[in-house]
């Protein structure tokens, strides 16, 4: 789990700039006509920085006058203390159904990197709940861990996806799960929920699916982001795993015959975390590690 503190707020704000640079500075995908957007929800809003920028852009365009902008997050700890000038921030867990007052009331719903906050078996219900908010457009962005962690392809970079993607992290297949979950909404909804089938056959469909690679991207923000965000997040996750594994070693109830591989895993995790923190010369790296489990 990532922390909820001032450093995490800084990371989230830089993550926003990183993602925006990857999207050629488009906050809203170019396939979505902004003249139709006047009510926007941001699920997993964090510091609310995307919502702040979008509300500023749309209100300046003065297409519909002052729009309605609402950000949802499971915790208020990342919300700015002074709030947002053009938006409201609401504590809400996307794994549970949204109140009826929000259902079908947003022309556009924005979701970004939510896969890093939910388990893979929770994604289906999250998608169903998010779709309840929609009246028209859903913009969902995710990262592919293999792309961001393996370029430039150093020995340590190769070790990172080996460590993470064989675990419950397993994010490189999240897009497939997401698309499958969206298509599954053709099935009857849960009792008492807003029925997406009433939108008509043309409404609930994936209109655009786009992949953008960080490899070879010329933006300095993207290059900086790959190191600052990906490696920084890796350190946090590795330290979290290290603390958990170390606690198991101290557990007298943990079987002795399993402690040997657990101790080896702790040593490897500690070495990998230290190597990332110290930095690495891509030309001379000889880092090697076996596959690690969780």
């Amino acid at each position: 789990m990532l922390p909820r503190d001032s450093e995490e707020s800084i990371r989230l704000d830089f993550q926003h700039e990183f993602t925006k640079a990857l999207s050629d500075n488009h906050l809203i995908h170019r396939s979505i006509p902004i003249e139709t957007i006047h009510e926007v929800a941001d699920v997993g809003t964090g510091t609310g920085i995307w919502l702040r920028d979008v509300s500023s852009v749309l209100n300046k365009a003065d297409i519909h006058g002052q729009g309605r902008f609402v950000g949802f997050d499971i915790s208020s700890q990342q919300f700015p203390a002074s709030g947002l000038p053009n938006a409201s921030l609401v504590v809400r867990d996307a794994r549970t159904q949204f109140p009826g007052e929000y259902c079908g009331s947003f022309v556009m719903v924005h979701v970004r990197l939510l896969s890093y906050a939910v388990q893979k078996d929770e994604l289906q219900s999250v998608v169903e709940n998010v779709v309840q908010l929609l009246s028209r457009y859903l913009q969902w962005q995710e990262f592919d861990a293999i792309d961001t962690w393996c370029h430039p392809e150093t020995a340590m970079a190769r070790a990172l996806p080996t460590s993470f993607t064989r675990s419950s992290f397993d994010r490189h297949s999240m897009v497939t799960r997401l698309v499958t979950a969206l298509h599954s909404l053709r099935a009857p909804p849960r009792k008492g929920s807003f029925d997406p089938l009433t939108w008509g056959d043309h409404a609930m469909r994936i209109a655009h699916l786009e992949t953008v690679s960080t490899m070879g991207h010329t933006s300095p923000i993207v290059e900086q982001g790959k190191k600052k965000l990906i490696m920084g997040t890796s350190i946090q996750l590795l330290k979290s795993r290290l603390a958990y594994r170390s606690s198991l070693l101290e557990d007298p109830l943990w079987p002795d015959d399993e402690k040997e591989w657990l101790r080896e895993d702790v040593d490897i995790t500690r070495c990998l975390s230290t190597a990332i923190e110290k930095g690495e010369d891509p030309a001379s790296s000889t880092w090697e590690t076996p596959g690690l489990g969780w």
Side-chain angles (χ1 to χ4, degrees):
M1 294 294 293
L2 295 174
R4 286 189 175 273
D5 51 26
S6 58
E7 289 189 9
E8 174 64 2
S9 293
I10 293 172
R11 189 194 70 81
L12 287 171
D13 286 350
F14 185 83
Q15 177 179 278
H16 168 71
E17 298 300 328
F18 174 66
T19 308
K20 187 169 69 171
L22 272 176
S23 305
D24 295 327
N25 292 317
H26 290 287
L27 294 167
I28 297 175
H29 195 274
R30 57 189 177 275
S31 66
I32 300 176
I34 64 169
E35 63 272 12
T36 66
I37 308 301
H38 50 91
E39 292 178 321
V40 179
D42 185 25
V43 179
T45 194
T47 63
I49 188 170
W50 180 89
L51 198 63
R52 182 201 69 189
D53 287 358
V54 162
S55 64
S56 177
V57 168
L58 294 181
N59 283 335
K60 281 181 181 177
D62 198 27
I63 297 170
H64 302 282
Q66 292 296 304
R68 179 190 180 211
F69 304 94
V70 182
F72 299 100
D73 204 284
I74 195 172
S75 169
S76 63
Q77 288 180 271
Q78 252 52 64
F79 292 173
S82 58
L84 294 179
N86 301 314
S88 57
L89 300 174
V90 179
V91 175
R92 192 71 202 173
D93 187 348
R95 294 172 298 184
T96 62
Q97 292 188 50
F98 287 87
E101 63 190 274
Y102 296 118
C103 291
S105 63
F106 297 99
V107 177
M108 176 182 172
V109 176
H110 172 259
V111 184
R112 183 165 64 191
L113 306 184
L114 199 60
S115 71
Y116 291 83
V118 300
Q119 298 297 318
K120 58 185 179 182
D121 58 352
E122 297 172 330
L123 182 62
Q124 180 70 39
S125 61
V126 168
V127 169
E128 291 177 4
N129 294 329
V130 167
V131 166
Q132 299 299 313
L133 302 171
L134 278 174
S135 69
R136 193 156 190 182
Y137 297 107
L138 172 63
Q139 176 175 297
W140 195 311
Q141 295 173 294
E142 291 291 347
F143 280 164
D144 184 330
I146 299 299
D147 172 56
T148 49
W149 281 345
C150 284
H151 300 290
E153 188 176 350
T154 65
M156 187 173 70
R158 288 194 300 272
L160 285 172
T162 300
S163 297
F164 288 122
T165 58
R166 289 189 180 184
S167 68
S168 59
F169 201 43
D170 192 22
R171 301 305 181 192
H172 61 284
S173 59
M174 182 56 74
V175 172
T176 300
R177 293 195 191 101
L178 177 58
V179 171
T180 301
L182 287 169
H183 276 305
S184 74
L185 294 180
R186 287 291 179 193
R190 292 170 295 184
K191 184 177 181 181
S193 63
F194 185 75
D195 188 351
L197 299 181
T198 62
W199 299 346
D201 291 339
H202 67 287
M204 193 58 226
R205 63 189 178 89
I206 297 174
H208 194 92
L209 186 63
E210 181 176 343
T211 301
V212 179
S213 176
T214 62
M215 184 172 60
H217 205 287
T218 58
S219 168
I221 294 179
V222 172
E223 286 303 309
Q224 183 185 3
K226 285 197 288 184
K227 180 176 181 180
K228 184 175 180 178
L229 293 176
I230 306 304
M231 294 304 182
T233 303
S234 300
I235 291 172
Q236 292 286 356
L237 292 168
L238 284 168
K239 286 184 174 179
S240 176
R241 177 164 86 180
L242 184 60
Y244 174 67
R245 295 289 193 167
S246 297
S247 69
L248 293 179
L249 283 175
E250 301 299 323
D251 185 353
L253 299 178
W254 193 262
D256 290 337
D257 58 348
E258 294 187 18
K259 286 190 175 181
E260 183 176 350
W261 70 263
L262 189 61
R263 191 172 292 107
E264 180 182 356
D265 183 87
V266 165
D267 290 340
I268 291 173
T269 302
R270 184 180 290 110
C271 288
L272 182 54
S273 178
T274 301
I276 296 172
E277 288 182 305
K278 289 183 176 180
E280 175 192 57
D281 179 0
S284 61
S285 170
T286 57
W287 181 268
E288 296 292 344
T289 180
L292 303 179
W294 280 69

